[in-house]
Amino acid sequence: MANGISEKSGIACLLFLVLLSPFGIHRMYVGKVGTGVLFLLTLGGMGIWWLVDLILLCVGSFTDAEGKTVKLSN
């Protein structure tokens, strides 16, 4: 997509984050496999990294591996 907006679904990313919290699936979904594995190994940074990702996603600052913004809505 144009304008730096990711083609990845923000809703899917949010669901992965909330429902599969300690596994880092939301990061792997957007192409950030390396940090997804770190997320898994640290169980979401003991919850801190999870909270940061939740806030970033909700305020529209979470990005995919290409640096494009993952939006919750169109």
Side-chain angles (χ1 to χ4, degrees), residues 4-58:
I5 305 298
S6 177
E7 293 181 6
K8 299 293 183 177
S9 168
I11 298 297
C13 189
L14 180 64
L15 288 173
F16 289 143
L17 176 62
V18 172
L19 299 176
L20 301 170
S21 303
F23 304 112
I25 302 299
H26 68 290
R27 287 189 161 265
M28 294 179 200
Y29 170 71
V30 297
K32 296 180 176 181
V33 178
T35 56
V37 171
L38 286 174
F39 201 95
L40 172 64
L41 293 175
T42 63
L43 298 176
M46 303 282 185
I48 296 169
W49 203 1
W50 177 87
L51 182 61
V52 169
D53 280 357
L54 179 63
I55 292 168
L56 289 174
L57 188 58
C58 289

Side-chain angles (χ1 to χ4, degrees), residues 32 55-64 68-71:
K32 296 180 176 181
I55 292 168
L56 289 174
L57 188 58
C58 289
V59 300
S61 296
F62 191 77
T63 58
D64 64 12
K68 296 179 180 178
T69 305
V70 178
K71 293 285 188 182

